[in-house]
Amino acid sequence: MKAVYFAWVRERVGKTEEDIAPPASVATVADLLTWLGQQGEEYENAFGNSKVIRVAIDQTHVKHDTPIAGAREIAFFPPMTGG
Amino acid sequence: MKAVYFAWVRERVGKTEEDIAPPASVATVADLLTWLGQQGEEYENAFGNSKVIRVAIDQTHVKHDTPIAGAREIAFFPPMTGG
Amino acid sequence: MLKVRIQREDFDPQAEAQALTDGRTDVGAVVTFTGLCRDEGGMLAALELEHYPGMAEKELERIAEEASLRWPVQGIVMLHRYGKIAPGERIVMVAASAHHRSEAFCAAEFLMDFLKTSAPFWKRQHLGDGTSGGWVEAKGSDDEAAERWK
Amino acid sequence: MLKVRIQREDFDPQAEAQALTDGRTDVGAVVTFTGLCRDEGGMLAALELEHYPGMAEKELERIAEEASLRWPVQGIVMLHRYGKIAPGERIVMVAASAHHRSEAFCAAEFLMDFLKTSAPFWKRQHLGDGTSGGWVEAKGSDDEAAERWK
């Protein structure tokens, strides 16, 4: 699946997007945030405080307990500050 | 003192303004409304249901228990419907 | 900046709103309200707006000042037309500018609620068949809208 | 008429508001909100707006549709810019038209409250001394404003 990053999540990871392949044990958004946080220092820096990260699956906001099965694009970003 | 009339009060009285000279016993706005209602059929028609009439003394809204002493211009009109 | 004007002619809402921000870099929010004449399903030919000259201006100024005491607004505009107004034409506009949106929204709603209930204007209807539809009656919902600010 | 657009360029609030009433005689009320970049007492050189292309449009459309289900609005406009925006420049506008003013005011406030909390836009500050002031933090007051519509 494709992971996309915005705002300071993007800056900390150092990429705007990438293909990720989490193991089968990663079932929910929360699992994925934990797994991502273990992929290196920059990821730990971005996802260490995972509670504040907002997530969208295929461009729709989802909660952290949402299953990720079937997701094509998962986006990670801080709380929104538009307007 | 000068009396000025607006909207259907003006239409019923048949004048936009006039000088009035109520007797000394007419002390409040309510007294004045009662007295005006006795000045002929068109006045009775305009002021008969005096509760609905709004009053301004010298261009400031006043309640019906307000004294009229010292008033130069007293305006009578229905509830406002601007905007 | 508090600006109040009563006039027969139409006005330009954007020019009025623009004046609240021109040359400034400290305004964060501008809310405008424009009220227009509806044709009431084709029944209405025109509205005729009567006002109490002198007092109408004073009341709008009083309302604008009250709003500026209640919220930290940076500017207020209140314009109201009188005379005959055809369906689709503008009747009234208010605008409020402030640092933040909630202040601008509150002030603009407050301005309209009190304009409706305390500014001396009266509407009469002219119907499509050439007859007068009579004077518009004041609405209880307008009194309630004004009450909530007390 | 629901219109949603995300663009780098500035927009014309009056042209957008005008489009809600052009050729119509059944609109009674138009409320517009315009959000501008403040200089924060001279400290701020610019804001930079990042967004999630695709999702941002979808979210604005979702919010506009939700508003049109809640109130009998006749039209809605939501425009949001991205990229670098200098103090005094417009960032966002929403507009709502309806028969009556309370519906237009409610819809416009609702649009802004949900735009703030659910549309994927992020602001970063550029300071006058050439440094980055970092990412703007989300405000609890915005969450509370959105909560009141639940």
Side-chain angles (χ1 to χ4, degrees), chain D residues 20-37:
Chain D
L20 293 173
T21 57
D22 267 347
R24 299 182 68 147
T25 52
D26 61 340
V27 177
V30 178
V31 171
T32 73
F33 172 86
T34 307
L36 303 106
C37 176

Side-chain angles (χ1 to χ4, degrees), chain B residues 3-81:
Chain B
V4 296
Y5 309 117
F6 293 98
W8 57 251
V9 176
R10 171 180 55 69
E11 287 187 329
R12 292 181 192 181
V13 170
K15 297 173 185 169
T16 58
E17 60 175 74
E18 64 184 322
D19 285 316
I20 56 172
S25 61
V26 170
T28 66
V29 167
D31 295 343
L32 184 57
L33 285 163
T34 304
W35 179 80
L36 277 166
Q38 295 160 349
Q39 304 309 305
E41 201 181 331
E42 63 273 36
Y43 289 90
E44 193 185 331
N45 195 11
F47 296 100
N49 182 12
S50 68
K51 279 198 303 290
V52 306
I53 305 286
R54 307 292 176 99
V55 180
I57 293 183
D58 295 329
Q59 306 195 344
T60 298
H61 292 290
V62 294
K63 295 188 171 168
H64 286 195
D65 60 3
T66 306
I68 61 169
R72 293 181 304 277
E73 179 175 295
I74 303 197
F76 302 91
F77 42 78
M80 290 137 284
T81 56

